[in-house]
Amino acid sequence: MTEEKMSNVSRRNVLQRLLAASAGFVAIPGLVRSSNHQTTLESMNKQAIKHQFPLGFQWETQDPFLFCVHHEDHFPAGNEEMGPASDHFKGRHMGDDFIIKDGFRMYHGKTVPGFPGHPHRGFETITVVRKGFVDHADSLGAAGRYGDGDVQWMTAGKGVQHSEMFPLLSETADNPMELFQVWLNLPQKNKLVEPHFKMLWRESIPYLHFDDNKVFVELIAGRWDQYRAVSPPPDSWAATEENDVFIVNIKMEPHSSVTLPVSDSGANRSLYFYEGSALTINQTTFHAYTGVFLNTDVQTTLTTGATAASIFILQGKPINEQVMQYGPFVMNTKAEIQEAFEEYHRTKFGGWPWAKYDQVHDRTKGRFAKHADGTVEEKV
């Protein structure tokens, strides 16, 4: 995808423009493996680092991942509707507000910030919430509120509408928000599976510590040595262990180091250095807000200097199929994209059973998930 500056346009509109402009089959290169087996640090470093790039609003990804974005907003105290006071709306392009003003964006929300009801088909969304809360509602009647370390993993499959709103629950203090949203592709055989979402509650996520507790790792997907993450949804590309999907968020204190697991699966590994001043990967030092593509079969050590660092990693074996993307739909052929639009216009993927498209839940509600089959999970 292009590295077009995206700070002043919407996620959805950018995707539509990008994908319409590049409508066609996207060739996905395979992993390049080196035959040089020298063990010097210099040689190892050359093999470890494949490509580096600056991080913008949307982060560059590799197959099987389609999209990654880091949202960070410093929302104020909420009003009775769980949104900012209306005086914050002045000077904003309401309904399409992606410019940081007063420390936050409203996105597509007009009362509460977030993303009102919109459709997806043919891929998965993985929403990793570091701070704040997300209210989920969808066309299957499912709902939820999650945040402060929780992860929602949603398989859109044959089609679902959902909303992702950011309720400002505190009326007396600021409501900071930080999250990653990742799009993980589905192979053709699973493009039209039944929609499904799974909650990876923070209480169930493995938290690993290295280097005398100076390195903290949240293991969201895959395995790190003997440690295993919670299982993903059953039809996910990540559900098959040989696909080597690995997602971690790493926090490193000053003067710390950690060595990433080595894998010879042929997976693509993307490292995003999103917070801090300097990070050394083997013998090369990078400044903050830099992305790096790494070879997984080379020993790779991350080291910090005088400042802390935060790193997000996406890894997975490429699906290596033709990809046709347009807006919220990701399929394999142009005909399948046309079918997706026709079905959405005809069925609305089940309609919208909620009172409004920017649905939020009662302020007093805690963390919970109500699934389409009626199963309810509640967390303290």
Side-chain angles (χ1 to χ4, degrees), residues 70-78 83-85 88 92 97 99-107 113 131-132 166-168 170 173-179 275:
H70 179 219
H71 293 293
E72 189 167 16
D73 294 279
H74 300 281
F75 293 118
H88 285 289
R92 294 180 183 273
D97 173 39
I99 299 174
I100 291 181
K101 180 179 179 292
D102 302 330
F104 68 93
R105 314 167 180 89
M106 285 294 291
Y107 301 102
K131 302 175 186 174
F166 308 149
L168 309 187
S170 176
D174 289 347
N175 290 274
M177 162 67 75
E178 182 187 9
L179 65 82
E275 189 175 60

Side-chain angles (χ1 to χ4, degrees), residues 12 23 62 74 121 124 131 158 163 175 182 203 211 240 259 264 273 299 312 343 351 367 373 375:
R12 188 183 306 160
Q62 302 179 89
H74 300 281
R121 185 177 198 165
E124 300 183 281
K131 302 175 186 174
K158 68 180 184 181
S163 60
N175 290 274
V182 177
E203 293 88 348
D211 196 7
T240 302
T259 298
D264 62 0
F273 172 33
Q299 182 171 301
F312 191 58
E343 183 172 340
R367 298 154 57 224
D373 65 1
T375 302

Side-chain angles (χ1 to χ4, degrees), residues 263-379:
S263 169
D264 62 0
S265 68
N268 289 325
R269 178 178 286 176
S270 304
L271 179 150
Y272 306 102
F273 172 33
Y274 66 93
E275 189 175 60
S277 61
L279 176 71
T280 298
I281 301 177
N282 289 351
Q283 296 299 296
T284 301
T285 300
F286 297 91
H287 297 295
Y289 240 61
T290 297
V292 181
F293 292 164
L294 298 170
N295 280 314
T296 60
D297 58 351
V298 176
Q299 182 171 301
T300 306
T301 299
L302 313 180
T303 307
T304 58
T307 58
S310 299
I311 300 104
F312 191 58
I313 294 177
L314 297 177
Q315 173 185 306
K317 196 172 181 178
I319 295 174
N320 282 331
E321 291 180 353
Q322 295 180 143
V323 175
M324 176 70 76
Q325 304 179 4
Y326 192 88
F329 306 134
V330 182
M331 303 301 291
N332 294 93
T333 68
K334 187 174 181 179
E336 290 169 345
I337 291 290
Q338 185 62 39
E339 290 170 7
F341 273 102
E342 290 174 358
E343 183 172 340
Y344 173 66
H345 288 308
R346 185 174 67 253
T347 70
K348 301 301 183 200
F349 294 158
W352 192 255
W354 303 97
K356 50 188 180 179
Y357 273 89
D358 58 348
Q359 180 70 26
V360 289
H361 309 304
D362 189 270
R363 175 176 254 119
T364 61
K365 192 79 174 170
R367 298 154 57 224
F368 79 99
K370 177 186 175 184
H371 298 272
D373 65 1
T375 302
V376 176
E377 303 174 72
E378 293 187 344
K379 296 293 177 179

Side-chain angles (χ1 to χ4, degrees), residues 41 54 88 98 196 213 360:
L41 286 175
H88 285 289
F98 276 68
H196 176 85
N213 292 324
V360 289

Side-chain angles (χ1 to χ4, degrees), residues 27 74 127 262:
H74 300 281
T127 307
V262 173

Side-chain angles (χ1 to χ4, degrees), residues 142-172:
R145 170 172 290 162
Y146 59 97
D148 278 359
D150 299 327
V151 176
Q152 187 203 59
W153 195 315
M154 188 186 79
T155 305
K158 68 180 184 181
V160 65
Q161 289 192 74
H162 77 149
S163 60
E164 305 158 284
M165 305 308 298
F166 308 149
L168 309 187
L169 299 182
S170 176
E171 297 179 90
T172 58

